[in-house]
Amino acid sequence: MAHDISQPDQSDLTDVNTEKKSDQQMGFRRNFLWRSIQIPLQLLFVIWFRYRAKGMEHIPPDTGALLLISHQSYLDPLLVGLPLSRPVSFLARENLFRVPIVGWILKNCFVMPINREAGGIESFRLSIKRMKQGFLVAVFPEGTRSTDGEIGTLKPGFIALARRAGVPIVPVGIVGANRAMPRGAIFIRPAKVRVYFGEPLDLERVLELSKKNQEKDFLDYVHAHLQKCNEIAATL
């Protein structure tokens, strides 16, 4: 019997929809490598840092999100990802991906390369794509690590991402990491480390502050929320 080409091939449509749905769910699943790193680090950090994290219920369960994190040490990505059941995508210098083994680990732990010479356009687009796939994309608005544990001046680079993200924006405070691994330190030190995931920023306020000539107010708004998260983290 001849095939009726006037009717769409439903099996093809099913395959496309399945692939689309699978793509949108990527960010909700940890892979084997992520779990293999996460489990032993949970034990190590609880013992070595008396690690504790709260506020994970503020992470949206059914969509991607943008995490804005106070920055204290190179340990911060591990400290933020440790208590979560979903992977977090951070940014790292592109040249690190060319280092044997290290590059493979970064790629398979959902880390995104950033090429500073290219202005970060590709990493910006990839960040948006990841959030649409359900990933938690993490950014350090300070741009550099704090030397004294206090939140420094925020750089405006994250504002464009916050404006375009279209997902909840969650502030995250970290305290104690600057003592666990100060700037210039090679080895980690025993110290009490706490992490607090704050309530998502008010969407209407974010949209309002995303307008032109509101940059300073936007930075002040985010800084206040990060400060509040740090203060709560210090009490845990």
Side-chain angles (χ1 to χ4, degrees), residues 53-74:
K54 285 192 175 182
M56 287 79 78
E57 68 275 8
H58 294 143
I59 300 292
D62 54 2
T63 182
L66 177 62
L67 308 184
L68 301 180
I69 310 168
S70 61
H71 199 11
Q72 295 197 350
S73 81
Y74 285 137

Side-chain angles (χ1 to χ4, degrees), residues 77-108:
L78 299 175
L79 295 169
V80 170
L82 205 62
L84 302 177
S85 59
R86 292 164 57 186
V88 184
S89 280
F90 288 88
L91 291 167
R93 295 193 308 273
E94 187 181 45
N95 60 341
L96 291 176
F97 286 77
R98 296 192 289 269
V99 179
I101 301 178
V102 172
W104 181 85
I105 292 175
L106 292 177
K107 181 179 179 180
N108 287 279

Side-chain angles (χ1 to χ4, degrees), residues 60-220:
D62 54 2
T63 182
L66 177 62
L67 308 184
L68 301 180
I69 310 168
S70 61
H71 199 11
Q72 295 197 350
S73 81
Y74 285 137
L75 294 172
D76 294 347
L78 299 175
L79 295 169
V80 170
L82 205 62
L84 302 177
S85 59
R86 292 164 57 186
V88 184
S89 280
F90 288 88
L91 291 167
R93 295 193 308 273
E94 187 181 45
N95 60 341
L96 291 176
F97 286 77
R98 296 192 289 269
V99 179
I101 301 178
V102 172
W104 181 85
I105 292 175
L106 292 177
K107 181 179 179 180
N108 287 279
C109 283
F110 312 103
V111 178
M112 300 177 291
I114 180 170
N115 186 335
R116 298 183 185 279
E117 295 180 0
I121 298 300
E122 287 303 317
S123 60
F124 177 85
R125 292 173 178 169
L126 181 56
S127 295
I128 297 295
K129 179 180 179 181
R130 287 279 174 94
M131 285 184 281
K132 290 181 178 179
Q133 292 174 329
F135 278 94
L136 305 174
V137 170
V139 174
F140 298 107
E142 294 163 273
T144 187
R145 291 163 290 154
S146 170
T147 57
D148 57 5
E150 297 296 324
I151 299 175
T153 302
L154 305 188
K155 305 297 190 297
F158 74 93
I159 293 180
L161 192 59
R163 183 183 297 124
R164 290 282 305 278
V167 296
I169 300 174
V170 179
V172 184
I174 300 176
V175 296
N178 62 306
R179 294 187 295 273
M181 193 175 187
R183 295 186 65 166
I186 299 176
F187 302 104
I188 59 175
R189 308 171 183 180
K192 185 174 73 173
V193 177
R194 300 288 188 262
V195 176
Y196 183 74
F197 297 83
E199 295 183 15
L201 304 184
D202 181 79
L203 180 58
E204 291 187 5
R205 183 67 171 149
V206 168
L207 292 175
E208 178 185 345
L209 294 175
S210 294
K211 298 176 182 177
K212 291 183 179 180
N213 302 320
Q214 297 282 341
E215 183 177 281
K216 184 180 183 302
D217 291 338
F218 201 151
L219 295 177
D220 290 343

